[in-house]
Amino acid sequence: MNLDDFSDLIERPDGGVRRDAEERRERLAVPAGALGRLDELGEWLSAAQQSVPVKAVEQPRVVLFAGDHGVAELEVSGRAAGTAHELVRAVLDGASPVAVLARRFSVPVRIVDAGLDCDPELLPEAVVRHRVRRGSGRIDVEDALTAEEAEQAVRLGMRVADEEADSGTDLVVLGDLSVGGTTAASTLIAALCGTDASVVTGRGGAGIDDLAWMRKCAAIRDALRRARPVLGDQLELLAAVGGADLAAMTGFLLQSAVRRMPVVLDGVVSAACALVAQRAAFRAPDWWLAGQLSGEPAQLKALDRMALTPLLDHGVTVGEGSGALLALPLVQAAAALAAELPERAPEPESEPESESESESESELPSESAPEEKEAETEEPSKAADTTA
């Protein structure tokens, strides 16, 4: 499997449709520019949907890929290693931030177990049936996945994207449920951006103290040494320092772009997968939105590399797709405004004068004509008086 093949499969959103959407926007009653970035969002959706006016986003879905990372054994996370299944359970029970928001916005949530380190019996069959392996390797000293597992994970993500597109999903909010995932994601971003570990090391969704930050930075530094020799092959890179969930998300993003299905990215993990996908297919980022700025330095670096500007910056660091889901109403509002605002009433045209009217006016005698004749007769008499 060669991820570079996606470059020939992915096209940009329709530029002609976008121009039509821009022209329609200029005809709306609300002055151009008055809606700020909502105008841009509406035009982007029109191009993605190939529709003017834009259609409403009626079937969004939250898709969360779950996995445990062996590097969490180094205590680089605010959560204990191997406990990502607890995050999954909280979402299923409706007790997590993303579950609360999804319930409020009436958006279904789908969880895909790509590499949880738990007994499958702890979770529903619909969640665990896609698992690639139990946990990912410790990326500072070993590969996260074998080459076969990396390909299997990418194909898993592609299959999930196809299932969502076939079911009528018109926009995906993409997130992750992982422990140690930000360490792997930061490694991928540092490798692809050519930067040092200290520049990309953040404190994760659960928050860590200074000692844990130093351990995390060291783990990323060691993993970077293993990542650099395989930078030329995205699949090998995911196998070396990614993980089952990250490889699956990368496959999901690429296949979503193939299927012309827009995706809203959440935090640093989805940004890292997007950066890997962009390396394989440079047009793919045109199908994605950055939902929010999570505060992770690696995320900001990845978004800057892809020229994606976050919609929100509210300091939401909880992960799980929560920040991206908060951006969904903004996208839906942009679609509604672009589609439902009325156009300006056409200005009445001034009627040109008819030729018959202008001709009749020119034939009328001038009122000043008699006065001019009287003046001409008076002048000779005055001249005669003076000579006398």
Side-chain angles (χ1 to χ4, degrees):
M1 184 181 197
N2 187 353
L3 296 186
D4 291 339
D5 292 341
F6 278 97
S7 184
D8 297 327
L9 300 174
I10 295 173
E11 299 178 354
R12 297 187 190 278
D14 197 312
V17 172
R18 179 152 193 164
R19 286 190 292 274
D20 291 342
E22 291 171 353
E23 291 175 2
R24 185 179 187 278
R25 174 64 187 91
E26 293 175 358
R27 298 195 301 268
L28 296 184
V30 177
L35 296 176
R37 196 172 175 193
L38 293 177
D39 283 339
E40 178 189 343
L41 283 177
E43 293 158 4
W44 174 79
L45 273 176
S46 274
Q49 298 172 353
Q50 295 182 301
S51 173
V52 178
V54 64
K55 294 179 287 188
V57 178
E58 296 180 339
Q59 296 188 58
R61 169 95 69 149
V62 177
V63 178
L64 305 174
F65 287 89
D68 281 295
H69 294 261
V71 73
E73 298 171 6
L74 300 176
E75 298 181 355
V76 297
S77 173
R79 299 185 178 91
T83 59
H85 68 279
E86 296 177 359
L87 299 175
V88 173
R89 174 50 61 187
V91 176
L92 294 174
D93 293 342
S96 70
V98 71
V100 172
L101 292 173
R103 191 164 57 245
R104 169 60 61 181
F105 299 153
S106 299
V107 179
V109 179
R110 179 178 184 180
I111 302 173
V112 180
D113 173 8
L116 289 173
D117 186 9
C118 71
D119 294 331
E121 294 77 16
L122 294 177
L123 297 169
E125 170 65 19
V127 172
V128 301
R129 63 189 174 94
H130 296 301
R131 181 182 293 182
V132 174
R133 62 174 281 172
R134 181 165 176 161
S136 299
R138 239 184 76 178
I139 59 174
D140 61 322
V141 294
E142 63 179 342
D143 286 347
L145 307 167
T146 65
E148 294 76 15
E149 289 167 344
E151 181 174 342
Q152 183 183 350
V154 170
R155 292 191 183 279
L156 165 61
M158 294 169 58
R159 188 163 65 250
V160 173
D162 282 333
E163 291 171 358
E164 292 302 324
D166 291 340
S167 68
T169 299
D170 51 12
L171 185 140
V172 171
V173 173
L174 183 64
D176 69 288
L177 298 168
S178 64
V179 175
T182 61
T183 302
S186 299
T187 302
L188 288 171
I189 293 170
L192 292 171
C193 293
T195 191
D196 295 331
S198 60
V199 176
V200 297
T201 305
R203 297 185 180 268
I208 54 176
D209 58 21
D210 291 343
L211 288 176
W213 183 92
M214 293 173 67
R215 290 193 294 268
K216 183 175 182 177
C217 186
I220 294 173
R221 178 200 63 209
D222 294 341
L224 270 174
R225 296 196 186 102
R226 304 184 59 261
R228 291 189 178 110
V230 295
L231 274 177
D233 189 310
Q234 288 75 45
L235 199 59
E236 287 188 31
L237 181 64
L238 289 167
V241 296
D245 50 344
L246 274 69
M249 291 173 73
T250 302
F252 180 89
L253 284 166
L254 286 168
Q255 190 63 14
S256 293
V258 172
R259 297 298 303 270
R260 307 180 68 89
M261 183 169 61
V263 177
V264 182
L265 308 175
D266 183 41
V268 66
V269 174
S270 58
C273 299
L275 192 61
V276 176
Q278 184 215 31
R279 190 72 172 258
F282 67 94
R283 300 183 190 91
D286 289 348
W287 294 96
W288 312 327
L289 290 174
Q292 61 121 15
L293 198 61
S294 68
E296 287 285 311
Q299 184 211 20
L300 186 59
K301 203 157 193 67
L303 295 181
D304 182 66
R305 179 62 62 94
M306 294 183 287
L308 295 177
T309 304
L311 295 176
L312 301 175
D313 182 8
H314 293 332
V316 177
T317 62
V318 70
E320 305 175 2
S322 300
L325 186 51
L326 284 170
L328 175 61
L330 198 64
V331 178
Q332 292 175 316
L337 289 168
E340 299 175 23
L341 282 175
E343 296 187 13
R344 290 192 305 270
E347 297 180 0
E349 298 182 0
S350 56
E351 297 182 0
E353 294 182 353
S354 64
E355 294 182 1
S356 59
E357 290 179 355
S358 59
E359 289 176 359
S360 60
E361 288 178 0
S362 62
E363 292 175 357
L364 292 175
S366 173
E367 295 180 356
S368 60
E371 296 178 359
E372 291 176 356
K373 290 182 178 179
E374 291 177 3
E376 289 175 358
T377 55
E378 289 177 359
E379 285 179 0
S381 61
K382 288 182 180 178
D385 291 342
T386 55
T387 53

